[in-house]
Every structure is written in C-alpha cells, then in structure tokens.
Amino acid sequence: MKQLVCIFLPFFITNLAFAQKHDNIWLFGKDSENGLPFGGTVFDFNETPVEMFSEYRDLDLFTTNASICDKDGDLQFYTNGVSIANKNHEIMENGDGLNPGDFVNNYSSGLLIPQGAIVIPYPNYENEYFLIHSTYEFSNDYGIVAEDFYYSHIDMNSNSGAGKVVAKNQHLLQNDLLDTGKITAVKHANGRDWWIIIWKHDSNIYYRFLVSPSGIIEHSIDTIGTASQTGLGQAVFSPDGSKYVRFNSANVSLGETIDIYDFDRCNGLLENPIQLSHIDSAYAAGAAISANSRFLYISSFLKVFQYDLWADDIEASKDTVAIWDGFYSNTPPFATTFYLAQLAPNGKIYLSSNNGVKHMHVISKPDQPGELCDFQQHGIVLPTHNSFSMPNFPNYRLGPLFGSPCDTISEFYRPAAAYSFDTTINSLLVDFLDIS
C-alpha cells in the first residue's frame, strides 16, 4: 500500500508545475461611485490563504460575471454581460455594447443572468480568448427566453496588453428559443480543445459547440433525457469532466429539476440521463461539484443539499447540509439565503446570496460526506456589498483523458493539475484507501 502511494504522489507533484491559473482572481461588487461599503471586492487565490480586499472599480458586477487571468494568475479582463473591462479597470477598446437588445438597454449596469457569460482560452493562441455570452428577451408566447447566443474574440496582445475586442457579438445561434444563462464548458479529451453546451428552451434538446484552433464550430444538435422547464439555475461539469449537471428552478409550485448526465469528453455526448425532482423553496438556485468529482451541492434558497454522484442510487444519497439560520447582512430584508455556487482553486466551494449582502457562504471540505463537508453559513465577511454575483469558471486545469482514443495531443497538453495540492492528494488517498 505505501509503495503504491509513493509512486502515485510524484506524478501529481510534477503536474502541479503546469497549472493554468486562469481562475485565480475572482471579482465581486458594485461600482465605487458611492464609496465603501460599496465598490469592488477581489479574491486573490494566488495567495495562501486567499487574500480578500476592496478596490476602486467603475463596472458593476451583478449576476452575470465572467473573467480570465493569464496562465500565471494575472487578471486580463472581466465582464458583466454589457461591457468588457481590462485589468486597468477601463472599458477595453471595442468592449462596450455586448448583447444588443431591449434587455441590455434596461440593465445597462450589468445583466441579472446566472452564468450569462464564460471565457475560454483560444487554443494555440497565446493571450487570445473567446467570450461566450447571451442575454434575455421577452416573448409574448414563451415569456423570458434567450433568442441569441454569441461569441466575442478578445486579443490581449493588443494595446500594450490592455487588450482589444477584435470581433464582437458574433452569432453562434440566432432567432432561436434557448435556455437563459447556464453557459458552461469543459475540456475536450485531447486536453486542448473545449466543449460548450447550451440548452433549447423547455426541452430535452441541447446544442454542442467545439472550440479548437480553427475557432468555434456548432458540432451538433442532440436530444436526450426528459424535457424540463427553463428556469433560474446553474449548470456545471464535474472537475474531471465525466458528469454534467443542470439545475432548473421553474417555480415553487412546479418544483425543481436536477438533470444529471454522464459526459463523453471525446465526442461531446451526454449519456445515461437521470432526472431528480422535488418541491422545495428554490426562488434562487445554484450547483457545484467537489474537487474529487464525487459530491454535488445544490443550493435551493433556504437549504443546501448534497448528492453522492458515485452512489448506485443518487437520489437516495440526498443529504441536507445547510438550512438558512435567519442571518441578515447587515439588516432585514437582506437575508443571506443560498444562491450561486462555484468551486475555487483552493478546493473550497463558495456560495453567494440572492441579496446585496456583505457575507458569503463557504464549504471548506466539499470532498467529504454530510456534515463533514464543513458548511459555514455567512463564514466569509466581504469588504464590500455583493449583489447576487458569482464568477463563472470552467475547470481550466483539466488535462487530456489519458488512454482514450482522443488523447492525441503532444505532452504539452498533459498537465491536469489539481485545484490545490493538499486537497487533491487528500482526496486521492481517501478514495484509494476507501475511507468514507
């Protein structure tokens, strides 16, 4: 047993040297016009423990929130779904006017769309990125839907590193009926390219896009599983890329649906659908998966649930790990209820609230079952108020799927580094030794 572990550890230590730190800076908060306690908040995961501080910023970050660092962890740019600001907190050249339409005109200071944008590095092009984004529109027949799905191309080599939007609001889908937000992505099994998935409104139909050195290509339209209503929620891939989860909160009377799929990183196909349904309190809804890809966390306004994705019966594994304790930040009616979730580079999961508050929740040990996950309600005190927001990141550290037919790229694309050395080694030892 000890000999096997000793052989295993150096492999991960070596891979840590190649970690892509594209998600090492997290941004929250409103603009700084009115002074503290308003303004920007920064989580800097380049420091251990994570460093939190306030900063002056002109761009509001409401619900839609996406950003990117370079491979060394230095901020490149960020967006609120309306404009793109660079690392100097200036609107980038050609960086305004995202997502044209009535909805943006009404919310010019930032969109209220969970996972309304995500940033993907342009494969083989240093410091160039694709911003994938969408907005809402109102339909008399269908209510609030997304009709257009866009990409914009950002070149950070321009303007002495201040960047330039070289192509903006390029249609990937147009005049369609699409799910609102829930934009997420995962590495292709070759460790270089990316898969992007977006759902059709009120359906079991999804669109697959492949991001490669050739650009972004609509790969196919597929139908699988049971249709579900479009609603507020979040979508997420497991860190190892083997699972895809989409959580919808349609309304309180209809309840929520949690759609769980196996995912084939070679061909981008969803497989073996499972749909879980329950009536709950999800006026706000989020989802995240632990760094060891085992535990799914569903935030449902007043409660947070844990599911074991490795269980034979995932639905039966449901465990309530948090019930809102009545805390307000700073006074009523600003309740610290549970909303969007995101796995961080340090292996912890952070959750926002569906109010403008100065606190955030944290799951310190999400790789552990039940109460051992160490859920800390309002455990993070923020320097400034955060309005609903949580940055939307894929797992930039995921490498190729070793031994698969798609593991065909050079050794450069093999660095599947962990979220953190301590977290990953601990998780691997737990799994290896079968410690529950």
Side-chain angles (χ1 to χ4, degrees), residues 84-396:
I84 303 171
N86 60 27
K87 59 188 175 184
N88 302 318
H89 305 301
E90 303 165 338
I91 300 301
M92 190 180 294
E93 181 181 350
N94 198 30
D96 56 359
L98 290 181
N99 297 311
D102 292 338
F103 200 84
V104 167
N105 294 338
N106 292 328
Y107 293 93
S108 58
S109 58
L111 296 184
L112 297 168
I113 305 173
Q115 294 180 294
I118 199 168
V119 186
I120 304 299
Y122 193 165
N124 285 1
Y125 290 85
E126 187 77 14
N127 297 324
E128 294 188 40
Y129 306 91
F130 289 120
L131 174 65
I132 315 299
H133 53 100
S134 68
T135 185
Y136 285 169
E137 296 295 341
F138 181 78
S139 165
N140 289 327
D141 295 324
Y142 299 99
I144 297 294
V145 297
E147 295 184 347
D148 300 284
F149 189 50
Y150 301 102
Y151 78 89
S152 297
H153 177 192
I154 293 94
D155 183 1
M156 293 306 299
N157 300 302
S158 300
N159 293 324
S160 302
K164 177 182 179 180
V165 182
V166 297
K168 183 171 59 179
N169 297 328
Q170 303 297 298
H171 277 102
L172 293 169
L173 296 170
Q174 186 175 13
N175 298 323
D176 207 334
L177 295 173
L178 306 171
D179 196 0
T180 49
K182 304 187 192 72
I183 302 173
T184 190
V186 69
K187 278 277 186 73
H188 188 284
N190 64 18
R192 179 198 65 192
D193 302 339
W194 290 84
W195 294 109
I196 299 169
I197 287 182
I198 190 76
W199 284 87
K200 192 171 180 65
H201 174 78
D202 284 1
S203 77
N204 58 345
I205 300 169
Y206 73 99
Y207 299 88
R208 284 184 295 153
F209 296 87
L210 180 66
V211 184
S212 74
S214 299
I216 306 177
I217 303 168
E218 184 180 332
H219 197 271
S220 69
I221 304 172
D222 299 287
T223 302
I224 186 172
T226 304
S228 59
Q229 281 198 311
T230 295
L232 193 67
Q234 203 168 354
V236 63
F237 283 97
S238 59
D240 65 4
S242 67
K243 297 282 188 182
Y244 172 86
V245 176
R246 178 171 168 260
F247 180 34
N248 275 309
S249 169
N251 58 55
V252 175
S253 61
L254 293 174
E256 304 88 56
T257 57
I258 305 168
D259 292 289
I260 303 172
Y261 301 85
D262 292 334
F263 185 74
D264 189 322
R265 290 173 57 203
C266 279
N267 57 32
L269 287 174
L270 298 174
E271 302 169 332
N272 304 318
I274 299 172
Q275 187 174 87
L276 311 180
S277 300
H278 60 277
I279 302 296
D280 197 60
S281 57
Y283 294 97
I289 300 175
S290 59
N292 64 358
S293 297
R294 179 173 181 176
F295 293 110
L296 166 66
Y297 292 87
I298 294 294
S299 59
S300 185
F301 188 56
L302 297 178
K303 299 176 183 178
V304 178
F305 305 104
Q306 181 194 76
Y307 291 87
D308 187 346
L309 296 176
W310 297 358
D312 292 334
D313 186 341
I314 295 176
E315 186 167 24
S317 73
K318 178 181 176 182
D319 192 0
T320 303
V321 295
I323 299 175
W324 180 56
D325 61 5
F327 186 84
Y328 292 89
S329 172
N330 291 320
T331 59
F334 303 109
T336 56
T337 44
F338 310 118
Y339 192 17
L340 302 176
Q342 177 67 46
L343 177 64
N346 61 7
K348 299 181 181 182
I349 291 175
Y350 295 83
L351 295 91
S352 66
S353 296
N354 64 322
N355 275 306
V357 298
K358 281 195 67 178
H359 290 79
M360 192 169 289
H361 315 287
V362 60
I363 308 174
S364 292
K365 300 176 182 178
D367 288 349
Q368 300 299 318
E371 64 181 13
L372 295 178
C373 75
D374 191 16
F375 193 104
Q376 300 172 34
Q377 294 196 44
H378 45 84
I380 305 295
V381 182
L382 304 173
T384 67
H385 284 271
N386 178 46
S387 296
F388 317 110
S389 192
M390 179 63 66
N392 184 26
F393 296 115
N395 181 8
Y396 295 111

